[in-house]
Amino acid sequence: RKEVEQDPGPFNVPEGATVAFNCTYSNSASQSFFWYRQDCRKEPKLLMSVYSSGNEDGRFTAQLNRASQYISLLIRDSKLSDSATYLCVVNTRGSARQLTFGSGTQLTVLP
Amino acid sequence: ETGVTQTPRHLVMGMTNKKSLKCEQHLGHNAMYWYKQSAKKPLELMFVYNFKEQTENNSVPSRFSPECPNSSHLFLHLHTLQPEDSALYLCASSQVTPPGRGVYEQYFGPGTRLTVT
C-alpha cells in the first residue's frame, strides 16, 4: 500500500461546480496533513493545513478522518484559476520531520 | 528577496560535467530539503538538513552531493549524472518542531529544471 494515495483524475468540471478530492494515508501515527496545489511546471504551493476539527478557507474545505485514515478537499464554486494538480501531503513517518507527497489529482475547470 | 530562491532556473549539462544548484531561504527557517520531481511522478525527498546537520539521505546516489553551510543556504553538487537524472529539483524550507510534535508546512523554491544530455 502506498504511503499516500490519491485518485490521479483528471477531474474536468464546469465553472461553478463543486468538486471533492480524497486521499488515504497508511501510517496511523501521522500527525500533520496538508493540501498543496501545483500549477504546470511550477513549484508546489501550500493551499491549506488540515486540522482534526476540519477547516475552511473561503471556497475550500478540508476534512480529516483519522479512523479511516483519509483526508478530503472540497472546492465550491470552482473558478478557471483553480485548474491545477492538488497534492495530498502527510508526515507518514510518525514524528519524523518529513512530508510524503501524494502523486496528485489533476483538476481542469472548464468555461 | 523573499521566500525561497533557487538558481539556476534551468540547467543543461553533459554526463561528464560538474555543476551546483543553489538554494537560499529568507524565511528564518532552520530546516531545508532537496526534492526531485520527475515527469508524472510524485515528489521524492532526497536530503533533509536540520540546523545545518544532514538528518536524512533517502538512498540518493553519490553523484548527488548536498552541502549546507548555514541554515539559510543549501547546495546540491552534481557530477557524472545520467540522463535519467533529468528532472525538476526543488528546494524547500520549514521550521523544525519539537520531538514528538507534528511538522510544520514546507515552502518551496521555484526549482531548477535539469536536463542531462
Side-chain angles (χ1 to χ4, degrees):
Chain A
R1 184 182 174 184
K2 286 184 184 176
E3 291 181 289
V4 180
E5 199 146 9
Q6 293 182 252
D7 180 346
F11 284 63
N12 298 318
V13 303
E15 244 183 316
T18 295
V19 60
F21 307 134
N22 289 328
C23 164
T24 57
Y25 60 94
S26 60
N27 188 339
S28 59
S30 296
Q31 297 169 294
S32 300
F33 310 90
F34 308 95
W35 284 102
Y36 279 70
R37 69 170 278 168
Q38 187 171 23
D39 293 285
C40 189
R41 301 180 73 80
K42 297 284 186 77
E43 74 274 21
K45 291 188 177 174
L46 178 68
L47 180 66
M48 59 199 301
S49 302
V50 186
Y51 303 123
S52 296
S53 53
N55 48 301
E56 191 172 306
D57 182 1
R59 298 181 293 108
F60 299 84
T61 301
Q63 298 276 355
L64 169 63
N65 184 320
R66 284 189 186 274
S68 302
Q69 293 178 214
Y70 82 77
I71 307 148
S72 64
L73 177 68
L74 183 77
I75 306 175
R76 290 182 301 278
D77 187 25
S78 51
K79 313 288 185 194
L80 296 178
S81 57
D82 294 334
S83 298
T85 296
Y86 289 82
L87 305 172
C88 174
V89 184
V90 179
N91 77 309
T92 55
R93 300 181 194 180
S95 61
R97 289 156 180 74
Q98 292 185 31
L99 297 177
T100 298
F101 287 73
S103 51
T105 299
Q106 188 180 339
L107 171 67
T108 301
V109 180
L110 304 168
Chain B
E1 291 276 15
T2 58
V4 182
T5 57
Q6 287 186 244
T7 54
R9 297 292 307 275
H10 300 272
L11 178 62
V12 179
M13 59 187 288
M15 288 191 283
T16 57
N17 291 158
K18 287 185 181 181
K19 296 285 184 184
S20 295
L21 310 185
K22 179 183 175 183
C23 174
E24 184 173 359
Q25 60 94 2
H26 309 267
L27 299 169
H29 290 160
N30 46 28
M32 296 186 78
Y33 311 81
W34 279 117
Y35 287 88
K36 174 184 178 183
Q37 189 174 35
S38 304
K40 309 286 186 188
K41 285 188 172 182
L43 270 77
E44 301 169 51
L45 180 65
M46 300 174 73
F47 301 105
V48 180
Y49 278 83
N50 288 337
F51 298 102
K52 303 186 297 176
E53 299 298 321
Q54 187 181 129
T55 58
E56 192 75 26
N57 174 340
N58 275 0
S59 305
V60 180
S62 59
R63 57 186 184 269
F64 295 91
S65 173
E67 179 190 358
C68 188
N70 55 60
S71 57
S72 298
H73 293 85
L74 186 63
F75 295 89
L76 187 63
H77 304 298
L78 316 171
H79 65 98
T80 58
L81 294 192
Q82 305 297 312
E84 60 265 27
D85 296 323
S86 298
L88 180 66
Y89 288 85
L90 290 156
C91 173
S93 71
S94 74
Q95 193 64 8
V96 174
T97 51
R101 298 284 301 277
V103 297
Y104 289 142
E105 61 273 13
Q106 293 176 14
Y107 294 88
F108 286 83
T112 295
R113 191 159 296 280
L114 173 68
T115 303
V116 181
T117 60

